[in-house]
Amino acid sequence: MDLGLKDRVYVVTGATRGLGNAAARELVADGAKVVVTGRDEKTVAEAAAALGPDAVGVAADNADPRVAERLIAAAREHFGGFHGVLVSVGGPPPGFVADTTDEQWQAAFESVFLGAVRLARTAATELDEGGVIGFVLSGSVHEPIPGLTISNGLRPGLAGFAKSLADELGPRGIRVVGLLPGRIDTDRVRELDALSADPQATRTAAESRIPLRRYGAPQEFGRAAAFLLSPAASYLTGIMLPVDGGVRHGF
């Protein structure tokens, strides 16, 4: 199936590695052009180079209030258009309620929550009919994940924001979608597993609770993201798509 991605232009934040990078890779593979971001200039340049001539890298911190305008301007300057954004950021630091400080909450709120809101709000003013705004969230939108207190606090709020935005932008023909990754085999998930006394046992136990009995591959997440962002998903908006191997048992 042709997803209709050829020559469409997307901004993908947090795309130097992990889920953002997987999404950017699949978008480019299907003919899209992407502006990829990350905080470190060298790492961003390397990630863009690895994606090929249909990608350009911009060093950016989502917490910077001026970032949204700069990224959309880069999309128009380099590729002559702007059709959508996928907001992906690194997860907040792990920890239980008693372990997390006000400073950690504030930093995560600025980057994970408010940064995403700013990007989406600015994109909404710049997109035409057929545009799309996507958020990489987490299964914690529906069920808290032990040891990820800050993420558990922020991700559900972003999902609520995304749903509100979908209602507001729908009459203009602009879609808003969310992806809820489960245990995808990224550096971040391996780092979280490594916090336990026995990382392999932790992984084996987690896999036993997944109906497909394995962690997802990054490219599997990337394909789901590319589809949701594409014109092929033109009648899907306001949805939160679990990409979790069947872990979520609710409808």
Side-chain angles (χ1 to χ4, degrees):
M1 179 176 69
D2 180 5
L3 297 181
L5 284 168
K6 183 172 174 53
D7 294 331
R8 292 180 70 84
V9 182
Y10 297 89
V11 170
V12 184
T13 72
T16 58
R17 66 174 193 160
L19 301 178
N21 184 263
R25 189 170 299 278
E26 296 302 324
L27 286 167
V28 168
D30 269 286
K33 302 177 189 302
V34 296
V35 175
V36 297
T37 83
R39 294 182 181 181
D40 181 75
E41 191 167 344
K42 180 174 182 292
T43 305
V44 171
E46 291 172 348
L51 290 169
D54 288 332
V56 64
V58 177
D61 183 345
N62 282 8
D64 182 346
R66 299 163 297 181
V67 154
E69 291 88 351
R70 189 156 63 91
L71 296 179
I72 294 169
R76 296 193 190 283
E77 177 186 347
H78 288 280
F79 299 122
F82 173 60
H83 300 99
V85 59
L86 180 65
V87 184
S88 176
V89 295
F96 294 92
V97 173
D99 305 326
T100 53
T101 66
D102 285 358
E103 290 75 20
Q104 288 175 317
W105 275 102
Q106 186 67 44
F109 177 79
E110 291 285 342
S111 178
V112 174
F113 191 95
L114 190 54
V117 168
R118 287 195 191 105
L119 279 161
R121 192 170 56 205
T122 303
T125 67
E126 296 281 344
L127 287 168
D128 296 323
E129 182 175 356
V132 60
I133 298 169
F135 297 88
V136 178
L137 300 172
S138 166
S140 63
V141 163
H142 294 298
E143 184 173 357
I145 300 172
L148 294 182
T149 300
I150 296 178
S151 182
N152 293 339
L154 298 181
R155 304 291 193 189
L158 269 179
F161 169 77
K163 293 285 282 184
S164 297
L165 192 63
D167 288 344
E168 293 182 20
L169 298 184
R172 291 174 48 200
I174 298 171
R175 300 185 299 112
V176 181
V177 296
L179 294 110
L180 311 181
R183 306 296 285 189
I184 308 297
D185 196 12
T186 61
D187 291 342
R188 163 77 170 173
V189 168
R190 288 191 289 272
E191 288 163 5
L192 292 174
D193 286 349
L195 295 175
S196 69
D198 188 339
Q200 185 54 53
T202 296
R203 177 167 180 147
T204 299
E207 288 177 328
S208 73
R209 295 188 291 271
I210 300 170
L212 289 181
R213 294 297 189 270
R214 61 179 178 83
Y215 282 12
Q219 58 265 35
E220 291 177 305
F221 175 87
R223 291 181 198 127
F227 168 70
L228 274 190
L229 292 172
S230 77
S234 58
Y235 202 56
L236 297 179
T237 192
I239 67 166
M240 297 289 132
L241 177 69
V243 188
D244 62 6
V247 166
R248 175 163 166 74
H249 291 137
F251 295 108

